[in-house]
Amino acid sequence: MKLETFSFDIDADGIAHAVFDVPGRSMNTLTGKAVADIIAFTQEVATNDAIKGLVISSGKASGFCAGADLGEMGDRAGSGGSSEPKSEAEIKKAQFDAGFSLNKTLRQLETCGKPVAVALNGLALGGGLEVALAGHYRVAANDNPKLQFGLPEAKIGLLPGAGGTQRLPRLVGVQTALPLILQGESFNAEKALAMGVVNELAPSSETVAKAKAWVKANPKAKAPWDEKGFKVPGGVPHRSPGAGQVMTMANAMLHAKTYGNYPAQLNILSCVYEGIMVPIDAGLRIETRYFINTQQRPEAKAMIRSLFLSTQALSKGGNRPAGYPKYELKKVAVIGAGLMGAGIAYVQAKAGIQTVLVDVSVENAEKGKDYSRKLVEKDVSRGKLTQEKGDALLALITPTTSYDDVKGADLVVEAVFENEELKAKITKMAEEQLADTAVMGSNTSTLPITGLAKASKRPANFIGIHFFSPVERMGLVEIISGEETSEETLAKTIDYVLAIRKTPIVVNDSRGFYTSRCFGTYTREGMEMLAEGIKPAIIENVGRQCGMPMGALEVTDSVGIDTALKVTRATAEAMGADVQGDERAQFLAWLVEDQGRVGRKAGKGFYDYNEKGKPERLWPDINKMIEVKVDECPPALKTELTHRFLVRQAIEVARCFEEGVITDARDADIGSILAWGFAPYTGGCASYMDLIWGIKPFVEEADRLADKYGERFRPNDLLRDMAAKGEGFYDRFPPGGEKAKAAA
């Protein structure tokens, strides 16, 4: 028996020991080779009379197994499979056989007639936990604070496909298991023991010995569900009113949270409901069928690609220019101690970077540091941070009014108001203190970087660094290269973003860049619907139900209706349009200037807000200026409005690609999800066009919407060319943007 990812030996007592240790990797994952090895040693254990039992453990200090290898799964996303003609029945059988192979093997291991124990020294997630659940006994380390168990597949559009939806509910009950599977929640060793997911805790160094001792003492072990008279804890839905009520409530809560947008969660419910009512062998076959159905859905392919593969790649600097040494940042200055600057200072200090926080007065600078003090105090009070570490974090922030303190900074982040003259002044003052190798960055959301760089004496070192608020909670940073920004400066800035534990996307210069420009289309489409006489509640409900985190009107409140009015007027002026004749501008002016309803910050806008800033209700008088013509929303209208919201945003993203603002499809997808919350189940705007629609059908739908609602929906030449060539965005704009750069 030749194994590639496991070692295998048999001790003097006849106890086999399979050690999971994938060569060249810091963490074990269930690759195709690993599954083949499990199949091989399962057969050996079952047929070799010299083997009295089996212990499975890990050779990695990091843990047992992180689950399926999503890289392998992602490589298959969107593939058409074999080109050989097969009947539909043959295709389905081949898919089932492939999907069922691990499930079948783990069941064979579970019923081989010999005891199987699993020693868990660290995390066991997804398929890793499923392998462990197929053992008869589990010993977990009690001295590893990073140890986590869970079935997180639902978070990336999948469901557990190696017995997780069947064994966990049989082990802990439907009511306990459902939230863990539906939400992908992880749990520690103590909770695992309390629930019965593991049977014993021991120091890491003793887990294997404890597992072997149990195997030796229990030669006739069986899984609980293979014992005569087994009953599922808490009962099963068709026999127990309580369990039935759990499933009914779970179904209602699921639809309330997901609006039916996430096929994985619906299929998980079906797996558990159908599988728990039949013997486990039938339940495992049910699970495999739902797993294959889920895996083949475009949502799963999109979510795996974006939420796992692309996010992981960008979080490791996948969009960083090659050939430059890592930039070590010891000191960074933040100029402007307002809400944004204060948040930037905090995340820098939290990453261990010496931070200078500059403002026009000591009072303002100290107020900026107070933002960090409050966050530290909150974490200390909740036990997330020791007082000593909190004090050390705060000691790294130096509030000041003197630009002399900027001297020696490796990078500067200017975070003052969106005013070109002020930013130019700050740039000149800061650069007087900087070495020629230092980076000068501007935290701006709309002002073109090339224009701001004119104030710099070193435009090659000038770059845009766009943070999102609140900085400590938002995981994305949009980096903007100006016309003269060097590749080295870009590399240094990506190193900075990675150092403060954020995910960078890289875009080229343009007014509004990528995120602000595209995000604005969502709120503007909401205003278009309002102007058409669609009831505000319909607009808001459909906005949330299509996958956006807020309704379009609530988002406008959060940004500020006064800001929307300024942008509308500025855009009209730039285009030479008559702002006085624009009904939408007049409506916004009525809200802001006549009614004083500027948004969330004033406690009143499209919504009325409570003292905590939470929306209580839509303002009843919104429609005093606009007649409500549509006050019901049948399914066809919901679909139409959903398409308007999502297609409009995606069209703007396509225009950013055509104009060279975006050159890497990963940046487009991750930016759209993390920056403005574009429906995560789609995988982001590019994947929405690529996978959820397909480029050709998307172009056809966009043309239909353009004919009906206006040219803002009209597909550009890029989309038409991609449709004609059968290309997707990941074909045309692959990782690193190589093709896009070559074409330019």
Side-chain angles (χ1 to χ4, degrees), residues 204-446:
S204 299
S205 60
E206 299 177 17
T207 54
V208 171
K210 295 280 188 182
K212 282 191 172 185
W214 183 88
V215 167
K216 192 174 180 180
N218 294 271
K220 296 183 179 180
K222 289 183 179 180
W225 35 90
D226 289 323
E227 297 284 359
K228 187 176 181 180
F230 168 74
K231 293 183 179 180
V232 176
V236 294
H238 68 302
R239 292 178 186 160
S240 166
Q245 187 178 26
V246 167
M247 293 300 300
T248 301
M249 291 181 65
N251 190 43
M253 291 173 66
L254 179 65
H255 280 276
K257 287 186 176 182
T258 69
Y259 303 110
N261 292 324
Y262 294 83
Q265 275 79 358
L266 186 59
N267 284 350
I268 286 168
L269 265 184
S270 297
C271 274
V272 175
Y273 182 78
E274 295 174 26
I276 204 72
M277 295 193 290
V278 297
I280 191 167
D281 292 289
L284 293 172
R285 291 194 293 272
I286 288 169
E287 179 188 80
T288 295
R289 293 190 185 98
Y290 278 111
F291 176 80
I292 292 168
N293 173 274
T294 306
Q295 185 186 32
Q296 293 179 340
R297 292 290 298 261
E299 294 90 346
K301 295 173 182 177
M303 290 174 74
I304 290 170
R305 184 166 72 181
S306 294
L307 300 183
F308 183 79
L309 299 174
S310 294
T311 298
Q312 188 176 70
L314 296 186
S315 296
K316 293 179 179 178
N319 49 9
R320 184 186 190 275
Y324 300 98
K326 183 179 179 181
Y327 192 47
E328 300 293 340
L329 295 119
K330 297 179 180 178
K331 178 180 178 180
V332 175
V334 179
I335 301 175
L339 183 64
M340 190 67 76
I344 297 169
Y346 170 76
V347 297
Q348 288 178 182
K350 190 175 182 181
I353 298 172
Q354 182 184 347
T355 298
V356 176
L357 185 57
V358 186
D359 211 299
V360 293
S361 70
V362 173
E363 182 183 6
N364 285 354
E366 285 290 351
K367 185 177 179 181
K369 185 171 181 176
D370 282 342
Y371 187 85
S372 293
R373 288 192 182 99
K374 291 175 182 176
L375 291 173
V376 166
E377 288 171 0
K378 187 176 181 180
D379 282 350
V380 170
S381 68
R382 293 182 174 183
K384 294 182 178 180
L385 190 70
T386 65
Q387 187 64 55
E388 183 180 8
K389 288 184 178 179
D391 292 341
L393 186 158
L394 293 172
L396 288 170
I397 303 174
T398 303
T400 183
T401 61
S402 175
Y403 279 75
D404 290 340
D405 292 325
V406 174
K407 191 171 183 178
D410 301 300
L411 181 144
V412 169
V413 181
E414 164 270 299
V416 298
F417 298 115
E418 293 284 270
N419 179 286
E420 290 188 37
E421 292 182 3
L422 176 59
K423 287 180 180 288
K425 178 183 176 182
I426 297 298
T427 296
K428 291 175 181 177
M429 293 172 68
E431 286 188 342
E432 290 297 321
Q433 306 297 328
L434 297 179
D436 291 340
T437 56
V439 174
M440 181 71 206
S442 177
N443 174 57
T444 175
S445 59
T446 57

Side-chain angles (χ1 to χ4, degrees), residues 663-666 729-740:
T663 60
D664 186 327
R666 299 174 304 177
F729 282 97
Y730 282 75
D731 303 314
R732 190 74 166 252
F733 302 91
E738 293 92 348
K739 289 186 181 179

Side-chain angles (χ1 to χ4, degrees), residues 196-207:
V197 173
V198 301
N199 307 92
E200 184 179 356
L201 300 182
S204 299
S205 60
E206 299 177 17
T207 54

